[in-house]
Every structure is written in structure tokens, then in C-alpha cells.
Amino acid sequence: MSAAHHEVGGALPPHAETATLEGKNKVLGFWLFLGGECVLFGTLFASFIALRNQVPDGPTGQHLFTLDLVALSTFILLTSSLTSVFATMALHRGDLKKVQAWMAVTVLFGLSFLGLEVYEFIHYVHEGHTFTKSAFASSFYTLVGFHGAHVAFGVLWITLLIIQSFKKGLTVVTAPKFYVAGLYWHFIDVVWVFIFTVVYLMGKVGP
């Protein structure tokens, strides 16, 4: 079956991502993977909360954080979650071109978010907030940087899927890949909401 045929609505069975046993296993396995990721991020959050006031001679979150910039980053990432929803809706319609288009927009938002985060980190370093400056700094960069690495991985993953789809089209084999990539993107968006609240809002308010 050609890639062009896969673009036509109705060419795929309903919920093509789980139409085969392989697809179901991919989705189930990915949910288990996300469970492990929740435990990992939970540990990082707990470490940050325990160490966020350990600032012997370095700048605190109250002095460092600019909520306007972080709010913009949050808006961009949450909007990217919406575009990935549109991609999943197109996936269920069997519309390859719309899947590619919405996933490409999601990637652009992800790159914009990463660009703002790099700018933010550079600004913090200039303010003396380096990784080894304090326990607060180390826990901050570990948590936020680890999330940023997840965003970068998601951008690369989705980009490769888009490139692959031009050759392989939208099938019961490729559909689960797009679906789990969308799940992953929603996960890192949810994690960011917690980071925005726990790290930035609580940090700006202070102890």
C-alpha cells in the first residue's frame, strides 16, 4: 500500500495505533516507561524541594527568576501540547499531511522553548548562579536541565518520525510511533507545569 493511499481518510482502521497486537504492546510498554519517568522526576523534585533554601553565598530564586520569561516558555510549551493533540486527531482520521504539519509545528514550539531555556541559563550564569555555586543551584540545574534534555529528545524523535513518514506513510506500524510520541510530549508538558509551580512560583515567593 503506497504512502499516498495512507493519507486518505478511512484507509486506516479506527484507532490505528492499537489496531494490532504490536501497536497495543508499544502503547502499553510506553505507559510503563512513563511510570518510571514519573518516579525519576519525583525524586528530582523531592531533592530540589529539600535543597532549594540551601543558598549560603549565592543568588536565590527570588533574585534570579523572571516570571515574564518563564510564563512565555510555559505558554509556548502548553501550546505545543495543543498542536500535538491536533496531530493525534489527524492521525485518527488517517490524514498524513495534517499529522506531519501539526507535528512540525510542535517541533518548532519545542525548539523555541529550548532557545528560551538556553537564554535563561546563560543569564543565570552571568548572575553567578553556576551549577556548583550552591546546593540550590545544583538541584535547580539538574531538575530543569533534565527536563530540557527530555524536550530536546522529543524534538529529535518527532523530527525523525516526520522524515520517516514521507517514505513509509501512515500505517498500523507507523501510527503507534506517532501516538506514543504524542503521549511523551504531553508528559513533558505536564512535568513543566509542576516545574513552573514548584521551582519558579514558589522560588519567587521565597521560603
Side-chain angles (χ1 to χ4, degrees), residues 167-191:
K167 179 180 180 180
K168 297 188 176 182
L170 198 57
T171 69
V172 292
V173 176
T174 58
K177 298 178 181 179
F178 277 110
Y179 184 76
V180 296
L183 289 179
Y184 176 85
W185 198 258
H186 292 315
F187 171 75
I188 58 178
D189 288 348
V190 171
V191 171

Side-chain angles (χ1 to χ4, degrees), residues 49 52 62 65 196-207:
I49 291 172
R52 70 188 188 98
Q62 286 178 296
F65 298 151
F196 177 71
T197 303
V198 174
V199 176
Y200 293 99
L201 291 183
M202 291 175 59
K204 194 65 176 177
V205 172

Side-chain angles (χ1 to χ4, degrees), residues 31-108:
W31 276 113
L32 295 174
F33 165 76
L34 290 184
E37 288 284 284
C38 287
V39 173
L40 183 55
F41 271 106
T43 302
L44 294 177
F45 272 108
S47 298
F48 174 81
I49 291 172
L51 299 173
R52 70 188 188 98
N53 294 322
Q54 304 301 313
V55 191
D57 59 348
T60 66
Q62 286 178 296
H63 295 97
L64 284 171
F65 298 151
T66 303
L67 292 185
D68 289 347
L69 178 64
V70 183
L72 176 60
S73 297
T74 303
F75 174 78
I76 288 173
L77 203 58
L78 292 181
T79 303
S80 75
S81 190
L82 179 61
T83 58
S84 70
V85 168
F86 292 153
T88 300
M89 293 170 63
L91 173 68
H92 289 156
R93 296 194 304 269
D95 191 337
L96 175 60
K97 289 184 178 180
K98 289 291 180 61
V99 172
Q100 293 169 334
W102 285 118
M103 280 299 195
V105 174
T106 301
V107 166
L108 291 177

